[in-house]
Every structure is written in structure tokens, then in C-alpha cells.
Coordinates of all heavy atoms in Angstrom, one line a residue:
M230 N -8.3 -8.1 -11.3 CA -8.0 -7.2 -10.3 C -9.3 -7.0 -9.5 O -10.4 -6.8 -10.1 CB -7.5 -5.9 -10.9 CG -7.3 -4.8 -9.8 SD -6.8 -3.2 -10.5 CE -5.1 -3.4 -10.4
D231 N -9.2 -6.9 -8.2 CA -10.3 -6.7 -7.3 C -10.7 -5.2 -7.3 O -9.9 -4.4 -7.0 CB -10.0 -7.1 -5.9 CG -11.1 -7.0 -4.9 OD1 -12.2 -6.8 -5.4 OD2 -10.8 -7.1 -3.7
R232 N -11.9 -4.9 -7.8 CA -12.4 -3.6 -7.9 C -13.5 -3.3 -6.8 O -14.2 -2.3 -7.0 CB -12.9 -3.3 -9.3 CG -11.8 -3.3 -10.3 CD -11.2 -1.9 -10.3 NE -10.1 -1.9 -11.4 CZ -9.2 -1.1 -11.4 NH1 -9.0 -0.2 -10.5 NH2 -8.3 -1.1 -12.4
S233 N -13.5 -4.1 -5.8 CA -14.6 -3.8 -4.8 C -14.3 -2.6 -4.0 O -13.2 -2.1 -3.9 CB -14.7 -5.0 -3.9 OG -13.5 -5.6 -3.5
V234 N -15.4 -2.0 -3.5 CA -15.3 -0.8 -2.7 C -15.1 -1.2 -1.3 O -15.8 -2.0 -0.7 CB -16.6 0.0 -2.8 CG1 -16.6 1.2 -1.9 CG2 -16.9 0.5 -4.3
H235 N -14.0 -0.7 -0.7 CA -13.7 -1.1 0.6 C -14.2 0.0 1.6 O -14.2 1.1 1.3 CB -12.1 -1.3 0.8 CG -11.6 -2.3 -0.1 ND1 -11.9 -3.6 0.0 CD2 -10.8 -2.2 -1.2 CE1 -11.3 -4.3 -0.9 NE2 -10.6 -3.5 -1.7
T236 N -14.5 -0.5 2.8 CA -14.9 0.4 3.9 C -13.9 0.4 5.0 O -12.9 -0.4 5.0 CB -16.2 -0.2 4.5 OG1 -16.0 -1.4 5.1 CG2 -17.3 -0.3 3.4
M237 N -14.0 1.3 5.9 CA -13.1 1.4 7.1 C -13.2 0.0 7.8 O -12.1 -0.5 8.3 CB -13.5 2.5 8.0 CG -12.5 2.8 9.0 SD -11.0 3.5 8.4 CE -11.6 5.1 7.8
N238 N -14.4 -0.6 7.9 CA -14.5 -1.9 8.6 C -13.7 -2.9 7.9 O -13.0 -3.7 8.6 CB -16.0 -2.3 8.6 CG -16.8 -1.2 9.3 OD1 -17.3 -0.3 8.6 ND2 -17.1 -1.3 10.5
T239 N -13.7 -3.0 6.6 CA -13.0 -4.1 5.9 C -11.5 -3.7 5.9 O -10.7 -4.7 5.9 CB -13.5 -4.3 4.4 OG1 -13.4 -3.0 3.7 CG2 -14.9 -4.8 4.4
L240 N -11.1 -2.5 5.9 CA -9.7 -2.1 6.1 C -9.1 -2.6 7.4 O -8.1 -3.2 7.4 CB -9.5 -0.6 6.0 CG -8.1 -0.1 6.3 CD1 -7.1 -0.7 5.3 CD2 -8.0 1.4 6.2
F241 N -9.8 -2.4 8.5 CA -9.4 -2.9 9.8 C -9.3 -4.4 9.8 O -8.3 -4.9 10.3 CB -10.3 -2.3 10.9 CG -9.8 -1.0 11.4 CD1 -9.9 0.1 10.7 CD2 -9.2 -0.9 12.7 CE1 -9.5 1.4 11.1 CE2 -8.8 0.3 13.2 CZ -8.9 1.5 12.4
E242 N -10.2 -5.0 9.2 CA -10.2 -6.5 9.1 C -9.0 -6.9 8.3 O -8.3 -7.9 8.6 CB -11.5 -7.1 8.6 CG -12.6 -6.9 9.5 CD -14.0 -7.2 8.9 OE1 -14.0 -7.5 7.7 OE2 -15.0 -7.2 9.7
Q243 N -8.7 -6.2 7.2 CA -7.5 -6.5 6.3 C -6.2 -6.4 7.1 O -5.3 -7.1 6.9 CB -7.5 -5.6 5.1 CG -6.4 -5.8 4.1 CD -6.5 -7.2 3.4 OE1 -7.5 -7.8 3.3 NE2 -5.3 -7.6 2.9
L244 N -6.2 -5.4 8.0 CA -5.0 -5.2 8.8 C -5.0 -6.1 10.0 O -4.0 -6.0 10.8 CB -5.1 -3.7 9.4 CG -4.9 -2.6 8.3 CD1 -5.2 -1.3 8.9 CD2 -3.5 -2.7 7.7
G245 N -5.9 -7.0 10.1 CA -5.9 -8.0 11.2 C -6.5 -7.5 12.5 O -6.2 -8.0 13.6
L246 N -7.3 -6.4 12.4 CA -7.8 -5.8 13.6 C -9.4 -6.0 13.6 O -9.9 -6.2 12.5 CB -7.5 -4.3 13.6 CG -6.0 -3.9 13.6 CD1 -5.9 -2.4 13.4 CD2 -5.4 -4.3 15.0
P247 N -10.0 -5.8 14.7 CA -11.5 -5.9 14.7 C -12.1 -4.9 13.8 O -11.6 -3.7 13.8 CB -11.9 -5.7 16.2 CG -10.6 -6.1 17.0 CD -9.5 -5.7 16.1
G248 N -13.1 -5.2 13.1 CA -13.8 -4.3 12.2 C -15.0 -3.6 12.7 O -15.7 -2.9 11.9
E249 N -15.3 -3.8 14.0 CA -16.5 -3.2 14.5 C -16.4 -1.7 14.6 O -15.3 -1.2 15.0 CB -16.9 -3.8 15.9 CG -17.3 -5.2 15.9 CD -16.1 -6.2 15.9 OE1 -15.0 -5.7 16.3 OE2 -16.2 -7.3 15.5
D250 N -17.5 -0.9 14.4 CA -17.4 0.5 14.5 C -16.9 1.0 15.8 O -16.1 2.0 15.9 CB -18.8 1.1 14.2 CG -19.3 1.0 12.8 OD1 -18.4 0.8 11.9 OD2 -20.5 1.0 12.6
S251 N -17.3 0.4 16.9 CA -16.9 0.9 18.2 C -15.3 0.7 18.4 O -14.7 1.6 19.0 CB -17.6 0.1 19.3 OG -17.4 -1.3 19.3
Y252 N -14.8 -0.4 17.9 CA -13.3 -0.6 17.9 C -12.6 0.5 17.1 O -11.6 1.1 17.5 CB -12.9 -2.0 17.5 CG -11.4 -2.2 17.5 CD1 -10.8 -2.6 18.7 CD2 -10.7 -1.9 16.4 CE1 -9.4 -2.7 18.7 CE2 -9.3 -2.0 16.4 CZ -8.7 -2.4 17.6 OH -7.3 -2.5 17.6
I253 N -13.1 0.7 15.9 CA -12.5 1.7 15.0 C -12.5 3.1 15.7 O -11.5 3.8 15.7 CB -13.2 1.7 13.6 CG1 -12.9 0.4 13.0 CG2 -12.7 2.9 12.8 CD1 -13.8 0.1 11.7
D254 N -13.6 3.5 16.2 CA -13.7 4.8 16.9 C -12.7 4.9 18.0 O -12.0 5.9 18.2 CB -15.1 5.0 17.4 CG -16.2 5.2 16.3 OD1 -15.8 5.5 15.2 OD2 -17.4 5.0 16.6
Q255 N -12.6 3.8 18.8 CA -11.7 3.8 20.0 C -10.2 3.9 19.5 O -9.4 4.6 20.0 CB -11.9 2.6 20.9 CG -10.9 2.5 22.0 CD -11.1 3.7 23.0 OE1 -12.2 4.1 23.2 NE2 -10.0 4.2 23.6
F256 N -9.9 3.1 18.4 CA -8.6 3.1 17.8 C -8.2 4.5 17.4 O -7.1 5.0 17.6 CB -8.6 2.2 16.6 CG -7.2 2.0 16.0 CD1 -6.3 1.0 16.4 CD2 -6.8 2.9 15.0 CE1 -5.1 0.9 15.9 CE2 -5.5 2.8 14.4 CZ -4.7 1.8 14.9
I257 N -9.1 5.2 16.7 CA -8.8 6.6 16.2 C -8.6 7.5 17.4 O -7.7 8.4 17.3 CB -9.9 7.0 15.2 CG1 -9.8 6.2 13.9 CG2 -9.8 8.5 14.9 CD1 -11.0 6.3 13.0
R258 N -9.4 7.4 18.4 CA -9.3 8.3 19.6 C -7.9 8.0 20.3 O -7.3 8.9 20.7 CB -10.4 8.1 20.5 CG -11.7 8.8 20.1 CD -12.7 8.9 21.3 NE -13.0 7.6 21.8 CZ -14.0 6.8 21.4 NH1 -14.7 7.1 20.3 NH2 -14.2 5.6 21.9
T259 N -7.5 6.8 20.3 CA -6.3 6.4 21.1 C -5.0 6.7 20.3 O -4.0 6.9 20.9 CB -6.4 4.9 21.4 OG1 -7.6 4.6 22.1 CG2 -5.2 4.4 22.2
H260 N -5.1 6.6 19.0 CA -3.9 6.7 18.1 C -3.8 8.0 17.3 O -3.2 8.0 16.2 CB -3.8 5.5 17.2 CG -3.7 4.2 18.0 ND1 -4.7 3.4 18.3 CD2 -2.6 3.6 18.4 CE1 -4.3 2.4 19.0 NE2 -3.0 2.4 19.1
T261 N -4.3 9.1 17.8 CA -4.3 10.3 17.0 C -2.8 10.7 16.8 O -2.0 10.6 17.6 CB -5.0 11.4 17.8 OG1 -6.3 11.1 18.0 CG2 -4.9 12.8 17.1
L262 N -2.6 11.1 15.5 CA -1.2 11.6 15.1 C -1.3 13.1 15.2 O -1.9 13.7 14.4 CB -0.9 11.1 13.7 CG -0.8 9.5 13.6 CD1 -0.7 9.1 12.1 CD2 0.3 9.0 14.4
F263 N -0.5 13.7 16.1 CA -0.6 15.1 16.4 C 0.3 15.9 15.4 O 0.2 17.1 15.4 CB -0.2 15.4 17.8 CG -1.3 14.8 18.8 CD1 -1.0 13.7 19.5 CD2 -2.5 15.5 18.9 CE1 -2.0 13.2 20.3 CE2 -3.5 14.9 19.8 CZ -3.2 13.8 20.5
S264 N 1.1 15.3 14.6 CA 1.9 16.0 13.7 C 1.7 15.5 12.3 O 1.6 14.3 12.0 CB 3.4 15.8 14.0 OG 4.2 16.3 13.0
Q265 N 1.5 16.5 11.4 CA 1.3 16.2 10.0 C 2.6 15.6 9.4 O 2.6 15.0 8.3 CB 0.9 17.4 9.2 CG -0.4 18.0 9.6 CD -1.6 17.0 9.2 OE1 -1.5 16.3 8.3 NE2 -2.6 16.9 10.1
K266 N 3.7 15.7 10.1 CA 5.0 15.2 9.6 C 5.1 13.7 9.7 O 5.9 13.1 9.0 CB 6.2 15.8 10.3 CG 6.3 17.3 10.0 CD 7.5 17.9 10.8 CE 7.5 19.4 10.5 NZ 8.7 20.0 11.2
I267 N 4.2 13.1 10.5 CA 4.2 11.6 10.7 C 3.4 11.0 9.6 O 2.2 11.2 9.5 CB 3.7 11.2 12.1 CG1 4.5 11.9 13.2 CG2 3.7 9.7 12.2 CD1 3.9 11.7 14.6
R268 N 4.1 10.3 8.7 CA 3.3 9.5 7.7 C 2.6 8.4 8.3 O 3.0 7.8 9.3 CB 4.3 9.0 6.6 CG 4.9 10.0 5.8 CD 5.9 9.4 4.8 NE 5.7 8.0 4.5 CZ 5.7 7.6 3.2 NH1 5.9 8.4 2.2 NH2 5.5 6.3 3.0
L269 N 1.4 8.1 7.8 CA 0.5 7.1 8.4 C 1.3 5.7 8.5 O 1.2 5.1 9.5 CB -0.7 6.9 7.5 CG -1.7 5.8 8.0 CD1 -2.2 6.2 9.4 CD2 -2.9 5.7 7.0
D270 N 2.0 5.4 7.4 CA 2.7 4.1 7.5 C 3.9 4.1 8.4 O 4.4 3.0 8.7 CB 3.1 3.7 6.0 CG 4.1 4.6 5.4 OD1 3.7 5.8 5.1 OD2 5.3 4.3 5.3
E271 N 4.3 5.2 8.9 CA 5.5 5.3 9.8 C 5.0 5.4 11.3 O 5.9 5.5 12.2 CB 6.3 6.5 9.4 CG 7.0 6.3 8.1 CD 7.8 7.6 7.7 OE1 7.6 8.7 8.2 OE2 8.6 7.4 6.7
A272 N 3.7 5.4 11.5 CA 3.3 5.5 12.9 C 3.7 4.2 13.7 O 3.8 3.1 13.1 CB 1.7 5.6 12.9
T273 N 4.1 4.4 14.9 CA 4.7 3.4 15.7 C 3.8 2.3 16.1 O 4.2 1.2 16.6 CB 5.4 3.9 16.9 OG1 4.5 4.6 17.7 CG2 6.6 4.9 16.5
F274 N 2.5 2.5 16.0 CA 1.5 1.5 16.5 C 1.2 0.4 15.5 O 0.5 -0.6 15.9 CB 0.2 2.2 17.0 CG -0.4 3.2 16.0 CD1 -1.1 2.8 14.9 CD2 -0.2 4.5 16.3 CE1 -1.6 3.7 14.0 CE2 -0.7 5.5 15.4 CZ -1.5 5.1 14.3
W275 N 1.7 0.5 14.3 CA 1.5 -0.6 13.3 C 2.5 -1.7 13.5 O 3.7 -1.4 13.8 CB 1.6 0.0 11.9 CG 0.6 1.0 11.5 CD1 0.9 2.3 11.1 CD2 -0.8 1.0 11.5 NE1 -0.2 3.0 10.8 CE2 -1.3 2.2 11.1 CE3 -1.7 0.0 11.9 CZ2 -2.7 2.5 11.0 CZ3 -3.1 0.3 11.8 CH2 -3.5 1.5 11.4
T276 N 2.2 -2.9 13.1 CA 3.1 -3.9 13.0 C 3.8 -3.7 11.6 O 3.4 -2.9 10.8 CB 2.5 -5.3 12.9 OG1 1.7 -5.4 11.8 CG2 1.7 -5.6 14.2
A277 N 4.9 -4.4 11.4 CA 5.6 -4.2 10.1 C 4.8 -4.6 8.9 O 4.8 -3.9 7.9 CB 6.9 -5.1 10.1
S278 N 4.0 -5.6 9.0 CA 3.1 -6.0 7.9 C 2.0 -5.0 7.7 O 1.6 -4.7 6.5 CB 2.6 -7.4 8.1 OG 1.8 -7.5 9.2
Q279 N 1.4 -4.5 8.8 CA 0.4 -3.5 8.6 C 0.9 -2.2 8.0 O 0.3 -1.7 7.0 CB -0.2 -3.1 10.0 CG -1.0 -4.2 10.6 CD -1.4 -3.9 12.1 OE1 -0.6 -3.3 12.8 NE2 -2.5 -4.4 12.5
A280 N 2.1 -1.8 8.4 CA 2.7 -0.6 7.8 C 3.0 -0.8 6.4 O 2.8 0.1 5.5 CB 4.0 -0.2 8.6
N281 N 3.5 -2.0 6.0 CA 3.8 -2.3 4.6 C 2.6 -2.3 3.8 O 2.6 -1.7 2.7 CB 4.5 -3.6 4.6 CG 5.1 -3.9 3.2 OD1 5.8 -3.1 2.6 ND2 4.7 -5.1 2.7
F282 N 1.5 -2.8 4.3 CA 0.2 -2.8 3.5 C -0.2 -1.4 3.3 O -0.6 -1.1 2.2 CB -0.8 -3.6 4.3 CG -2.2 -3.6 3.6 CD1 -2.5 -4.4 2.6 CD2 -3.2 -2.7 4.0 CE1 -3.7 -4.4 1.9 CE2 -4.4 -2.6 3.4 CZ -4.7 -3.5 2.4
I283 N -0.2 -0.6 4.3 CA -0.6 0.8 4.2 C 0.3 1.6 3.1 O -0.2 2.2 2.3 CB -0.6 1.5 5.5 CG1 -1.7 1.0 6.4 CG2 -0.7 3.0 5.4 CD1 -1.6 1.3 7.9
K284 N 1.6 1.4 3.3 CA 2.5 2.0 2.3 C 2.3 1.6 0.9 O 2.2 2.4 0.0 CB 4.0 1.8 2.8 CG 5.0 2.4 1.9 CD 6.4 2.2 2.4 CE 7.5 2.9 1.6 NZ 7.2 3.6 0.5
E285 N 2.2 0.3 0.7 CA 1.9 -0.2 -0.7 C 0.6 0.2 -1.2 O 0.5 0.5 -2.4 CB 2.0 -1.7 -0.7 CG 3.5 -2.2 -0.5 CD 3.6 -3.8 -0.6 OE1 2.5 -4.4 -0.8 OE2 4.7 -4.3 -0.4
S286 N -0.4 0.3 -0.4 CA -1.7 0.8 -0.8 C -1.7 2.2 -1.4 O -2.2 2.5 -2.4 CB -2.7 0.7 0.3 OG -3.0 -0.6 0.7
L287 N -0.9 3.0 -0.6 CA -0.8 4.4 -1.1 C 0.1 4.6 -2.2 O -0.2 5.3 -3.2 CB -0.4 5.3 0.1 CG -1.4 5.4 1.3 CD1 -0.8 6.1 2.5 CD2 -2.7 6.0 0.8
D288 N 1.3 3.9 -2.2 CA 2.3 4.1 -3.2 C 1.8 3.6 -4.6 O 2.1 4.1 -5.6 CB 3.6 3.3 -2.9 CG 4.4 4.0 -1.8 OD1 4.0 5.2 -1.4 OD2 5.3 3.4 -1.3
N289 N 1.0 2.5 -4.5 CA 0.5 1.9 -5.8 C -0.9 2.3 -6.2 O -1.4 1.8 -7.1 CB 0.6 0.3 -5.6 CG 2.0 -0.2 -5.4 OD1 2.9 0.4 -5.9 ND2 2.1 -1.2 -4.6
D290 N -1.4 3.2 -5.4 CA -2.8 3.7 -5.7 C -3.8 2.5 -5.8 O -4.5 2.5 -6.8 CB -2.8 4.6 -6.9 CG -4.1 5.5 -7.0 OD1 -4.7 5.7 -5.9 OD2 -4.5 5.8 -8.1
S291 N -3.7 1.6 -4.9 CA -4.5 0.4 -5.0 C -5.9 0.7 -4.7 O -6.3 1.8 -4.3 CB -4.0 -0.7 -4.0 OG -4.4 -0.3 -2.7
D292 N -6.8 -0.3 -4.8 CA -8.2 -0.2 -4.5 C -8.4 0.1 -3.1 O -9.5 0.5 -2.7 CB -9.0 -1.3 -5.1 CG -8.6 -2.7 -4.5 OD1 -7.4 -2.9 -4.3 OD2 -9.4 -3.5 -4.2
W293 N -7.4 -0.1 -2.2 CA -7.5 0.2 -0.8 C -7.1 1.7 -0.5 O -7.3 2.2 0.6 CB -6.6 -0.7 0.0 CG -7.1 -2.1 0.1 CD1 -6.6 -3.1 -0.6 CD2 -8.0 -2.6 1.0 NE1 -7.3 -4.3 -0.2 CE2 -8.2 -4.0 0.8 CE3 -8.8 -2.0 2.0 CZ2 -9.1 -4.8 1.5 CZ3 -9.7 -2.8 2.7 CH2 -9.8 -4.2 2.4
S294 N -6.5 2.4 -1.5 CA -5.9 3.7 -1.2 C -6.9 4.7 -0.7 O -6.6 5.6 0.2 CB -5.1 4.2 -2.4 OG -6.0 4.4 -3.5
E295 N -8.2 4.7 -1.2 CA -9.2 5.7 -0.8 C -9.5 5.6 0.7 O -9.5 6.5 1.4 CB -10.4 5.6 -1.6 CG -11.4 6.6 -1.4 CD -12.6 6.6 -2.3 OE1 -12.5 6.2 -3.4 OE2 -13.7 7.0 -1.8
V296 N -9.7 4.3 1.1 CA -10.1 4.2 2.5 C -8.9 4.3 3.4 O -9.0 4.8 4.6 CB -10.8 2.8 2.8 CG1 -9.9 1.6 2.6 CG2 -11.5 2.8 4.1
V297 N -7.7 4.0 3.0 CA -6.5 4.3 3.7 C -6.3 5.8 3.9 O -5.9 6.3 4.9 CB -5.2 3.6 3.1 CG1 -3.9 4.1 3.7 CG2 -5.3 2.1 3.1
D298 N -6.6 6.6 2.8 CA -6.5 8.0 2.9 C -7.5 8.5 3.9 O -7.2 9.5 4.7 CB -6.9 8.7 1.5 CG -5.7 8.8 0.6 OD1 -4.5 8.8 1.1 OD2 -5.9 8.9 -0.6
Q299 N -8.7 8.0 4.0 CA -9.7 8.4 5.0 C -9.2 8.1 6.4 O -9.4 9.0 7.3 CB -11.0 7.6 4.7 CG -11.7 8.0 3.5 CD -12.9 7.0 3.2 OE1 -13.3 6.2 4.0 NE2 -13.5 7.2 2.0
L300 N -8.6 7.0 6.6 CA -8.0 6.7 7.9 C -6.9 7.7 8.2 O -6.8 8.2 9.4 CB -7.5 5.3 8.0 CG -6.8 4.8 9.3 CD1 -7.8 4.9 10.4 CD2 -6.2 3.4 9.1
N301 N -6.1 8.0 7.3 CA -5.0 9.0 7.5 C -5.6 10.3 7.9 O -5.1 10.9 8.9 CB -4.2 9.1 6.2 CG -3.0 10.0 6.4 OD1 -2.3 9.9 7.4 ND2 -2.7 10.8 5.4
V302 N -6.6 10.8 7.3 CA -7.2 12.1 7.6 C -7.8 12.0 9.0 O -7.6 12.9 9.9 CB -8.3 12.4 6.6 CG1 -9.2 13.6 7.1 CG2 -7.7 12.8 5.3
Q303 N -8.5 10.9 9.4 CA -9.1 10.8 10.7 C -8.0 10.7 11.8 O -8.2 11.3 12.9 CB -10.0 9.6 10.8 CG -11.3 9.8 9.9 CD -12.2 8.6 10.1 OE1 -12.1 7.7 10.9 NE2 -13.2 8.6 9.2
L304 N -6.9 10.1 11.5 CA -5.9 10.0 12.6 C -5.1 11.3 12.7 O -4.5 11.5 13.7 CB -4.9 8.8 12.3 CG -5.5 7.4 12.5 CD1 -4.6 6.3 12.0 CD2 -5.8 7.2 14.0
H305 N -5.1 12.1 11.7 CA -4.4 13.4 11.7 C -5.3 14.6 12.2 O -4.8 15.7 12.2 CB -3.7 13.7 10.4 CG -2.4 13.0 10.2 ND1 -2.3 11.8 9.5 CD2 -1.2 13.3 10.6 CE1 -1.1 11.4 9.5 NE2 -0.3 12.3 10.2
S306 N -6.6 14.3 12.4 CA -7.5 15.4 12.8 C -7.4 15.7 14.3 O -7.1 14.9 15.1 CB -8.9 15.0 12.5 OG -9.1 14.8 11.1

């Protein structure tokens, strides 16, 4: 099992998105979730495979879950 520590940069790359800090900052500003009722994996801006990866990461408490949680907090702020 992969026990590496993942970063926001590697999460974005895993999701098939650019992993540069400037892109991540812009993504978070552009995709703010204004309601706590919207689950991260149900946000409309994800592709089906991205949403599935996020959901599985959280449901299975995978090694990605910590950084996915961080993204969730940032998008809901």
C-alpha cells in the first residue's frame, strides 16, 4: 500500500489538473462552494472520474483523504 504523503499539488495532478500553486489558487477562487450541504464529490465542476476518486478517497479513508479534506475545507470557506 502506498503510504506517501500527498500534497495539494499532487492531488490536482492525480485529478488530471495542473498542479501549480497559481492554478490551484485560481481553481479554489473560481469554484467556491457556498453551501455546506454540497458534498465535495457532488460539485458540478468535477468529471465523473474525478468525483469518483474524491468519493472513494473519503469513503475508504485512503492515503489521499487528508489532502481531499483540506481541499474540501478550502472550497467551502
Side-chain angles (χ1 to χ4, degrees):
M230 175 185 269
D231 182 14
R232 291 279 182 198
S233 40
V234 176
H235 300 293
T236 65
M237 193 68 69
N238 306 85
T239 58
L240 173 61
F241 270 70
E242 291 169 355
Q243 180 69 22
L244 292 169
L246 300 169
E249 293 83 21
D250 291 337
S251 60
Y252 178 85
I253 294 168
D254 293 341
Q255 180 63 37
F256 183 92
I257 291 169
R258 283 193 304 274
T259 305
H260 295 92
T261 299
L262 298 170
F263 294 103
S264 172
Q265 293 297 324
K266 294 180 181 180
I267 300 171
R268 289 175 29 130
L269 181 60
D270 62 288
E271 294 175 345
T273 59
F274 47 78
W275 301 123
T276 65
S278 62
Q279 290 168 329
N281 189 51
F282 176 80
I283 290 167
K284 181 174 179 3
E285 287 183 3
S286 293
L287 294 172
D288 288 350
N289 298 326
D290 196 26
S291 78
D292 58 323
W293 288 99
S294 64
E295 186 175 328
V296 71
V297 171
D298 274 338
Q299 291 172 5
L300 178 60
N301 187 40
V302 167
Q303 290 184 10
L304 288 172
H305 279 97
S306 295

